[in-house]
Amino acid sequence: MSSRSGIVRALLIALLAGGIAFVVTKQIAAPAPNGDELAWLVNEFDLNEQQAAQIKALHEAFRPICERHCDAIEAGQAAVAAAANETERAAAADRLIELKAVCQDATRQHLHEVAAIMDPAQRQRYLELIGSRLSEHHHEAPFGLQ
Amino acid sequence: MMQPSDPLTDLLHRWQPKPGERPEFAREVQRRIAVEAAGASSVRRFRFPALLPLAAALAILIGSISGLGISRAQHQSAMADAYVRSIDPVMMVITSNPQ
């Protein structure tokens, strides 16, 4: 076996080993989604106990508001679908847009209330990571960032 | 365990320059053999068996770090999306009625 073919063979085997290591690590390291977003938030942003408690209280207080908005949007969508004519459909669509805007404002306000509990570095990362994922927003930069 | 003797080494031990050959001929032969052997050993150092553990270890390390990084990024993204769905009614409706 020539030294060149030996090197090529070694590199191919190494590449294969690297690929297997990548796939196995990716599978093993993937945490099971536990569905506890607040626990993730606390861990991800390294929040202390006081911050975690305040944010949990805000989150729980916002949940019924969020559910009401959710129901209102679904009702608005149903109204658009059930409209008998174009005039009714346009009116229902306008109402739906207004509803969504109200919901988005409430969500943005909640986002800022949560961010206000965090320290500046946590706040910036939170607004970048979460703000950019919210439904349609009208800011050029992530919320709260100048 | 005894190593089998190298036929070339045995031959060189038995070999005697014939009279009439240049006196430095034997030395020249030995010198050229030594030069060739030195060159061969430096090539052998990088040949397959020696290179494989190093390259494989490096590749496994890079593969593992990449796998870990991508796994973490995917988990972060999935959990951030789940958190957003819990605070954004519009996203909540989109998720429950994807059409």
Side-chain angles (χ1 to χ4, degrees), chain B residues 2 5 8 22 24 46 49 51 54 57-58 68 77 84 95:
Chain B
M2 289 280 289
S5 60
L8 179 63
R22 290 180 294 127
E24 69 276 12
F46 296 103
L51 182 73
L54 178 68
L58 201 64
L68 207 62
S77 179
V84 165
T95 308

Side-chain angles (χ1 to χ4, degrees), chain A residues 67-85:
Chain A
E67 283 170 0
R68 268 204 310 277
H69 287 156
C70 186
D71 291 343
I73 291 171
E74 282 182 328
Q77 286 178 331
V80 172
N85 54 49

Side-chain angles (χ1 to χ4, degrees), chain A residues 9 13 25 32 55 61 64 80 93 97 117 138 143:
Chain A
R9 202 167 137 192
I13 291 174
T25 310
I55 288 173
V80 172
I97 289 168
I117 294 168
H138 308 289
F143 302 125

Side-chain angles (χ1 to χ4, degrees), chain A residues 28-144:
Chain A
I28 290 174
N34 56 12
D36 188 348
E37 302 89 16
L38 276 183
W40 168 78
L41 196 73
V42 170
N43 187 50
E44 177 69 27
F45 294 96
D46 199 20
L47 303 175
N48 61 34
E49 280 183 27
Q50 194 183 356
Q51 288 173 316
Q54 285 180 293
I55 288 173
K56 187 170 189 289
L58 270 180
H59 192 80
E60 293 304 324
F62 186 66
R63 189 187 295 273
I65 298 169
C66 189
E67 283 170 0
R68 268 204 310 277
H69 287 156
C70 186
D71 291 343
I73 291 171
E74 282 182 328
Q77 286 178 331
V80 172
N85 54 49
E86 275 306 310
T87 314
E88 272 186 25
R89 186 171 294 114
D94 286 346
R95 175 77 187 127
L96 183 59
I97 289 168
E98 283 171 23
L99 270 173
K100 283 184 177 177
V102 169
C103 294
Q104 284 161 347
D105 285 345
T107 304
R108 272 196 291 274
Q109 190 182 335
H110 175 72
L111 191 82
H112 283 296
E113 286 169 357
V114 170
I117 294 168
M118 298 177 171
D119 67 34
Q122 293 168 331
R123 184 181 309 134
Q124 179 166 354
R125 209 161 72 77
Y126 172 76
L127 291 172
E128 283 173 355
L129 184 64
I130 304 302
S132 61
R133 286 181 148 79
L134 292 181
S135 57
E136 201 176 322
H137 58 85
H138 308 289
H139 294 258
E140 290 300 316
F143 302 125

Side-chain angles (χ1 to χ4, degrees), chain B residues 22-99:
Chain B
R22 290 180 294 127
E24 69 276 12
F25 183 73
R27 210 177 322 117
E28 281 290 310
V29 170
Q30 297 293 351
R31 190 185 62 77
R32 288 179 65 177
I33 288 171
V35 168
E36 290 293 322
S41 71
S42 67
V43 169
R44 201 174 300 121
R45 198 179 305 142
F46 296 103
R47 278 174 59 183
F48 172 64
L51 182 73
L52 180 59
L54 178 68
L58 201 64
I60 288 171
L61 186 71
I62 293 170
S64 301
I65 290 171
S66 308
L68 207 62
I70 287 181
S71 172
R72 194 192 179 289
Q74 285 178 340
H75 180 249
Q76 186 197 52
S77 179
M79 290 308 293
D81 286 342
Y83 174 71
V84 165
R85 281 195 298 276
S86 76
I87 62 167
D88 188 341
V90 177
M91 292 300 284
M92 213 180 274
V93 171
I94 290 171
T95 308
S96 57
N97 303 306
Q99 76 283 7

